[in-house]
C-alpha cells in the first residue's frame, strides 16, 4: 500500500474534524507492524469492496477527544459516550471514507462503501483481519488521541 | 428485511459452530428495535456492498463462549482473549457471511464482502449505523451468549 492510497484518508480525517469541530490533529509516526493494534474508547469502522480490492478502515477516539468533538459540534459536552456521540462517530467515519473514495476513484481505484459500525467500550482494541498491509496512524491533540487504521487485502 | 435475508446468516452461524467446534446454539427471540444493542467481549464485524444494497453484520461472543469454542477447535483453552481467539472470531465471521452470500446470490441478491474486523474489550457495545432494518438475534448455550446482528441500508 503506497502513500497514494493512505493520504486521501488522512486528508479526510483532518478536514472533517477541522470543518465540523474546529479541531486540529497532529499526525504522528505511521506504524506498519501486524502486531500493533489501535486502542480507544469509541470507534467507527467501515468496510470497502471494489472489483479488485477489499479492505476496512477504522477511526478510534479516546473518550475525552470524542466528547470534545461533540461539544464543539453541538455546543454542549455530553457526560458520557452516549448514542449521539456514537452517531457522530459513525458520521465522521462515513465522511472520511467518502472523501477517500472520491479521491481514489479519480485515480482509477474504485470501491463501494459498506455502512459504518460504531463500537463503544473502555479501551477496546481493533484487529483488521487482512492478508495485505495494515497502516495505523496516530493523531494527537490536547484533548486526546485518535488512531486511523487502513487495511487492504492485497 | 424478510426472513429470506436473515435465515442464511443464522444457518451459517449454527453450521459453522457445530462443524468447527461441536457447539450447538439455541436461537432466542429476534429483536428489531433501533435502541437494542449487542453487548459482549469479542466481536467479528464485516461490511457488505452490492449493486442495490449495503449493510453490515456482526457476531458478538461472551468471553466464556469464545474461549470454549477455541478450546474445542484446538484442544487447549486459552487463558484470555488473545490474538488467536481474535483470528478465530474473524474466520467465523467470514464463514457466516460467506455462507449467506452464496445462499443469497442463488436468490438474486448479490453483494461483495469486505474484510472482517475483530473488536476485543470487556462488555463493549456495537451500533450498526443504517437507515434500514436492524435485526439482533440472541443465541444461547451452556457456555455463554452470542449475538448475531444483520443490517441493511434499505
Amino acid at each position: 500500500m503506497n502513500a497514494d492510497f493512505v493520504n486521501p484518508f488522512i486528508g479526510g480525517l483532518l478536514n472533517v474534524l477541522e470543518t465540523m469541530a474546529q479541531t486540529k490533529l497532529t499526525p504522528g509516526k505511521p506504524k506498519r507492524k501486524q502486531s500493533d493494534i489501535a486502542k480507544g474508547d469509541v470507534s467507527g469502522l467501515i468496510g470497502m469492496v471494489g472489483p479488485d480490492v477489499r479492505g476496512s478502515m477504522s477511526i478510534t477516539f479516546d473518550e475525552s477527544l470524542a466528547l470534545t468533538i461533540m461539544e464543539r459540534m453541538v455546543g454542549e459536552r455530553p457526560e458520557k459516550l452516549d448514542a449521539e456521540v456514537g452517531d457522530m462517530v459513525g458520521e465522521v467515519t462515513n465522511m472520511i471514507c467518502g472523501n477517500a473514495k472520491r479521491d481514489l476513484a479519480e485515480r482509477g481505484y474504485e470501491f463501494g462503501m459498506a455502512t459504518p459500525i460504531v463500537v463503544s467500550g473502555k479501551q477496546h482494541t481493533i484487529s483488521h483481519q487482512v492478508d495485505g498491509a495494515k497502516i495505523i496512524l496516530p493523531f494527537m491533540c490536547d484533548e486526546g488521541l485518535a488512531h486511523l487504521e487502513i487495511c487492504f487485502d492485497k
Side-chain angles (χ1 to χ4, degrees), chain A residues 79-120:
Chain A
E79 286 183 22
K80 57 184 175 68
L81 296 176
D82 56 17
E84 282 73 41
V85 179
D87 289 348
M88 176 277 286
V89 171
E91 187 55 37
V92 165
T93 306
N94 230 348
M95 290 170 78
I96 295 169
C97 197
N99 186 85
K101 178 179 153 70
R102 275 190 306 277
D103 264 32
L104 290 170
E106 285 171 13
R107 297 176 212 178
Y109 302 104
E110 299 273 357
F111 64 83
M113 289 160 54
T115 44
I117 307 172
V118 173
V119 175
S120 298

Side-chain angles (χ1 to χ4, degrees), chain A residues 40-42 81 119-124:
Chain A
D41 305 316
V42 59
L81 296 176
V119 175
S120 298
K122 204 72 192 161
Q123 289 289 289
H124 63 260

Side-chain angles (χ1 to χ4, degrees), chain A residues 1 48 54-56 128 130 133-135 149-153:
Chain A
M1 191 161 27
M48 300 174 279
R54 305 186 318 142
S56 55
H128 294 256
V130 293
K134 301 204 238 179
I135 308 276
E149 193 162 359
I150 305 149
C151 308
F152 286 103
D153 204 9

